[in-house]
Amino acid sequence: MSQTIWNPEMECMSRSQLETLQLERLRALVDYCDRNVEFYHKRLLEAKVTADKIKTLSDIQYIPYTTKADLRDTYPFGMFSVPTKQLVRLHASSGTTGNPTVVGYTREDLDNWAEQVARVATAAGATQESMVQICFGYGMFTGALGLHYGLEKIGATVVPTSAGNTQKQLKFMRDFGTDTIVATPSYCLYLAESAKEEGHPIENYRLKLGLLGSEGCTPEMRQEIEQSWGNGFFVTDNYGMSELNGPGLSGECRERNGLHINEDHFLCEVIDSSSGEVLEKGSTGELVVTALTKRGLPMLRYRTKDITYLEYQPCACGRTTARMHKVLGRSDDMLKIRGVNVFPSQIESALISFQEIGPHYQLVVRREGYADTLEVKVELIDGSVLQTYGDLEGLQKRIHDQIRSILGIEITVSLVEPKSLERFTGKAQRVVDLRNTEKHN
């Protein structure tokens, strides 16, 4: 499929050329970390790793992993490579458990970040003609400003509405002719719901492209969002995290056959989460990323905890970069219920096949006696079903049987009133785990 490519030199490089560049940058990064970051100097010394010992890309396996706990333990600036006067921006996670993770950017880092996002946005279909409304919250979260500067780099017009204030979001979309939206999948869907409730015909909106991220989006959820907006609305997924700059590590092209990785900036591996062993190409496991060009807060072999697999065949779009599959779940979000690994995305895929229920759901995990239980709460589209016991029971059983066939464990399905579950302007919180807060029966 012919389409515009932002940086053909880097995005269409041969595999051998790319791996030569990655090796050169990996060796330079190891040397840089060894000389400029005390944390890494000690780690590399203990592992007996120097830049000279990195002869091939596979030698990366000798470098110790970096984790989120390392950033929290060295809070706030213990892993930075430069004094704060050389930093031009700081971001941080919400820090709901312990210290937040703080990330810093040099001018070079910000320039590279904008380049990475420009590629992802262009691959999705954004151009200098695009009118882009950013519905991520501006602030310490990297999503909004990351997309903002990358979109400005390609010449798009950016409307920084930030999160919330749904009625004003919709007014700007109508009045400005917004054709591209940056949001979480759940908020994009909520905007579509709200647009229909306001009474303005959906034809008054010109949305054509969704650059959605910050939370998972199954193919079924994507289809639901596209159908809700209509008018040929096309949803793409992109991926990143603050420890690795932010959004821009990878993103889908119009083929939607995996998320293209900016491999000249990021070296990716897949490992077994439990053993830490590097897996064969094509295997499913935890994504580990080395940020080859990051300097303010350099990052060697960062464990993302996201579960995926990588594909290396060239894409029909013309790009030769490796692609990561949509994240299947997080190793730390995975629920273990009666010995079975359960990812919320598995349940979401099952729920969206039922036309009688909406896409919003909540998973409630409890412990009754010595056994774990899982309750799946889903919203009805038509609340009158609650008045008809036969219809309610039949729908409940069909949903129950579908999810049980996927998970292989017993669950409870609760059908609730329309719009009774909480909506989120940011990342949706789907799981309520009460196992450590409720007393055992």
Side-chain angles (χ1 to χ4, degrees), residues 312-326:
Y312 291 88
Q313 306 90 339
C315 180
C317 74
R319 293 172 180 82
T320 56
T321 48
R323 287 159 288 135
M324 58 180 282
H325 188 273
K326 277 177 173 285

Side-chain angles (χ1 to χ4, degrees), residues 77-341:
F77 306 138
M79 290 181 65
F80 286 19
S81 67
V82 297
T84 54
K85 67 180 180 180
Q86 293 183 30
L87 299 172
V88 293
R89 194 190 304 167
L90 293 175
H91 281 284
S93 70
S94 58
T96 53
T97 55
N99 285 328
T101 56
V102 179
V103 294
Y105 303 79
T106 64
R107 171 53 57 192
E108 179 186 0
D109 290 334
L110 289 188
D111 290 344
N112 283 334
W113 189 12
E115 165 69 18
Q116 293 152 17
V117 173
R119 296 181 195 176
V120 167
T122 300
T127 71
Q128 64 178 1
E129 306 293 331
S130 300
M131 177 76 71
V132 188
Q133 195 157 319
I134 297 183
C135 305
F136 281 155
Y138 280 72
M140 299 304 274
F141 168 60
T142 57
L145 286 168
L147 270 298
H148 184 122
Y149 284 100
L151 286 159
E152 284 189 346
K153 187 176 180 71
I154 69 172
T157 303
V158 175
V159 184
T161 50
S162 195
N165 205 338
T166 298
Q167 282 64 45
K168 187 168 283 188
Q169 298 272 12
L170 294 171
K171 177 176 173 57
F172 286 148
M173 288 168 72
R174 294 190 302 271
D175 296 348
F176 295 174
T178 300
D179 55 44
T180 302
I181 185 172
V182 171
T184 62
S186 54
Y187 189 57
C188 189
L189 188 58
Y190 178 59
L191 281 169
E193 288 179 356
S194 301
K196 290 169 184 173
E197 289 174 0
E198 279 201 344
H200 292 276
I202 205 72
E203 291 75 23
N204 287 5
Y205 296 88
R206 301 180 190 175
L207 278 189
K208 294 296 181 185
L209 175 64
L211 296 167
L212 306 187
S214 187
E215 66 184 22
C217 183
T218 62
E220 294 83 4
M221 178 74 149
R222 179 178 70 198
Q223 184 177 23
E224 179 85 9
I225 295 169
E226 290 178 338
Q227 290 175 348
S228 294
W229 281 109
N231 299 328
F233 186 52
F234 188 87
V235 167
T236 63
D237 194 5
N238 60 82
Y239 175 84
M241 54 181 56
S242 59
E243 296 88 343
L244 302 166
N245 275 349
L249 191 155
S250 66
E252 288 181 309
C253 68
R254 301 294 288 192
E255 296 291 326
R256 292 198 299 205
N257 187 25
L259 285 72
H260 287 275
I261 299 166
N262 284 313
E263 286 192 280
D264 53 321
H265 292 282
F266 301 102
L267 178 56
C268 295
E269 309 166 79
V270 174
I271 69 168
D272 180 291
S273 288
S274 300
S275 69
E277 176 188 354
V278 179
L279 300 177
E280 293 291 325
K281 285 186 176 181
S283 301
T284 298
E286 180 184 345
L287 181 68
V288 172
V289 182
T290 295
L292 296 170
T293 57
K294 206 162 178 288
R295 289 299 179 262
L297 178 67
M299 202 57 59
L300 287 169
R301 301 193 85 197
Y302 185 73
R303 293 189 60 163
T304 67
K305 296 194 175 181
D306 288 326
I307 306 300
T308 186
Y309 60 85
L310 306 180
E311 297 181 276
Y312 291 88
Q313 306 90 339
C315 180
C317 74
R319 293 172 180 82
T320 56
T321 48
R323 287 159 288 135
M324 58 180 282
H325 188 273
K326 277 177 173 285
V327 172
L328 302 170
R330 285 181 59 80
S331 60
D332 55 355
D333 282 351
M334 181 183 73
L335 298 168
K336 195 148 189 127
I337 300 174
R338 294 197 290 279
V340 175
N341 296 335

